[in-house]
Amino acid sequence: AQSVAQPEDQVNVAEGNPLTVKCTYSVSGNPYLFWYVQYPNRGLQFLLKYITGDNLVKGSYGFEAEFNKSQTSFHLKKPSALVSDSALYFCAVNTGGFKTIFGAGTRLFVKA
Amino acid sequence: GAVVSQHPSWVICKSGTSVKIECRSLDFQATTMFWYRQFPKQSLMLMATSNEGSKATYEQGVEKDKFLINHASLTLSTLTVTSAHPEDSSFYICSADRAPYGYTFGSGTRLTVV
């Protein structure tokens, strides 16, 4: 069965420190991987995606993610966290068709 | 865990007809639900925010008369695609606000208009 796992319900980091939000997946075929952010009472906002090419993908707000095929991972990273980065982050996988599978979400807290 | 049931998972309809998609929170109440649309290999696009008991808030460029959203109860929101055309063929997914725990996604609906 195809699935996406975000192993951490919550990640806590201090402002200015690097952050990582983990995502692993299990799909058949070539994955198209996405990261979204959601703020309270708002819809998902697209951060970045990996379709093909360079394994390191750069996205909005200084976020980046690295596609690792051997580890089937697509971890979200940022070199220096901001308090305003505190939000709920979702990893998602699409296999080129019409269905997208979401992880359960990881809540990021950045402390000043 | 919290479950959002989205139905149907796959529907094929004739051009010109209307299709209703239901999004139901099974074990929690959702004041707010979101409706998204996605094309293959593309990111989700937020269509509208649905609030129980009030009119939905549509994103810019989304035709409110074509995509009717009703959120009549705390456990049910519906999206009706009216007078569907082939260009409406897409993947539609809802998510429900499970405050204060986060958001739960439905499993999505693949709409094919022929």
Side-chain angles (χ1 to χ4, degrees):
Chain A
Q2 303 189 108
S3 64
V4 177
Q6 291 180 243
E8 302 153 316
D9 292 335
Q10 185 172 307
V11 171
N12 298 311
V13 297
E15 188 173 35
N17 283 0
L19 69 88
T20 299
V21 183
K22 296 179 180 177
C23 173
T24 59
Y25 62 91
S26 175
V27 299
S28 55
N30 293 321
Y32 301 92
L33 298 154
F34 300 83
W35 274 102
Y36 298 90
V37 60
Q38 188 161 25
Y39 295 97
N41 302 314
R42 303 285 299 277
L44 290 177
Q45 293 180 36
F46 168 75
L47 279 179
L48 50 81
K49 68 179 179 182
Y50 171 83
I51 301 295
T52 187
D54 195 348
N55 290 345
L56 183 63
V57 179
K58 293 187 182 298
S60 306
Y61 313 118
F63 284 93
E64 58 187 28
E66 186 167 11
F67 171 62
N68 188 315
K69 187 173 183 179
S70 63
Q71 297 184 5
T72 62
S73 67
F74 190 58
H75 301 332
L76 180 71
K77 300 181 179 183
K78 187 173 182 180
S80 179
L82 299 172
V83 172
S84 58
D85 293 329
S86 298
L88 190 57
Y89 290 82
F90 289 96
C91 179
V93 177
N94 175 279
T95 54
F98 278 89
K99 187 167 181 66
T100 288
I101 305 168
F102 284 87
T106 298
R107 194 171 295 278
L108 174 66
F109 285 103
V110 181
K111 185 176 181 180
Chain B
V3 175
V4 171
S5 174
Q6 186 171 342
H7 179 81
S9 58
W10 196 348
V11 58
I12 301 174
C13 71
K14 292 184 177 180
S15 186
T17 62
S18 295
V19 173
K20 180 184 285 188
I21 301 170
E22 291 188 351
C23 186
R24 194 180 298 271
S25 56
L26 297 185
D27 52 2
F28 66 98
Q29 294 181 329
T31 305
T32 302
M33 290 190 181
F34 299 96
W35 286 96
Y36 301 90
R37 180 176 181 179
Q38 182 181 26
F39 295 100
K41 306 180 188 180
Q42 302 298 316
S43 64
L44 264 65
M45 180 189 78
L46 177 64
M47 299 175 67
T49 302
S50 167
N51 293 298
E52 188 267 338
S54 63
K55 291 184 179 180
T57 303
Y58 289 82
E59 295 299 302
Q60 191 172 7
V62 178
E63 299 176 62
K64 59 181 66 176
D65 294 331
K66 180 168 188 62
F67 298 100
L68 299 179
I69 291 173
N70 184 280
H71 195 159
S73 78
L74 287 171
T75 59
L76 176 64
S77 177
T78 60
L79 167 67
T80 301
V81 182
T82 63
S83 187
H85 292 284
E87 59 265 30
D88 298 325
S89 298
S90 188
F91 184 72
Y92 295 87
I93 190 166
C94 65
S95 76
D97 182 0
R98 192 168 54 93
Y101 305 106
Y103 299 88
T104 301
F105 290 91
S107 56
T109 298
R110 178 179 174 178
L111 170 63
T112 302
V113 184
V114 298

